[in-house]
Amino acid sequence: MPQPTLLQLVRVVQGVELDAVLHRLADGDPSLTAIRLHSNIGDLGVKMLSAMLHASSPELQAVYLSGNDITCVGAALFADALRENDSLTKVHLSRNTIADDGACALA
């Protein structure tokens, strides 16, 4: 069975299709200052988002990933992206299944 795409996992991000948000990240859209994902994107979704955060717009200040079924694997991927992104000042990861290993990766 093929893996679901990120668009199948997440339908809406602040009322905008996720692919449009990812394109806005890639283009460095200055109006994109926050992203809210609340659709159980899981580790696959975090992997795709993290790849885009490496090249995100400098105006992106907040990413809300609460309640997305993210595990230690996704937390480690997101931590790697955070090390290369100096514009984010707020990251919300509550209500996920991130254990000690994932928390250590984010620290």
Side-chain angles (χ1 to χ4, degrees):
M1 178 179 254
Q3 288 281 341
T5 66
L6 188 54
L7 290 177
Q8 291 168 331
L9 295 171
V10 181
R11 294 185 193 117
V12 177
V13 177
Q14 292 185 313
V16 178
E17 291 291 331
L18 181 61
D19 65 342
V21 171
L22 293 176
H23 286 291
R24 289 172 63 191
L25 277 172
D27 292 341
D29 184 344
S31 68
L32 186 61
T33 59
I35 297 173
R36 296 179 191 274
L37 299 171
H38 298 290
S39 301
N40 294 320
I41 64 168
D43 294 334
L44 176 62
V46 170
K47 179 179 180 179
M48 297 178 83
L49 178 63
S50 295
M52 295 307 300
L53 287 178
H54 293 295
S56 73
S57 68
E59 290 79 12
L60 182 64
Q61 298 174 359
V63 176
Y64 300 90
L65 298 175
S66 299
N68 277 290
D69 200 28
I70 298 167
T71 69
C72 293
V73 172
L77 293 167
F78 194 67
D80 289 342
L82 290 176
R83 285 185 194 94
E84 297 183 26
N85 182 302
D86 57 2
S87 66
L88 287 175
T89 58
K90 294 180 185 175
V91 174
H92 294 260
L93 294 167
S94 64
R95 297 187 337 259
N96 286 293
T97 55
I98 300 170
D100 291 345
D101 290 345
C104 287
L106 290 163

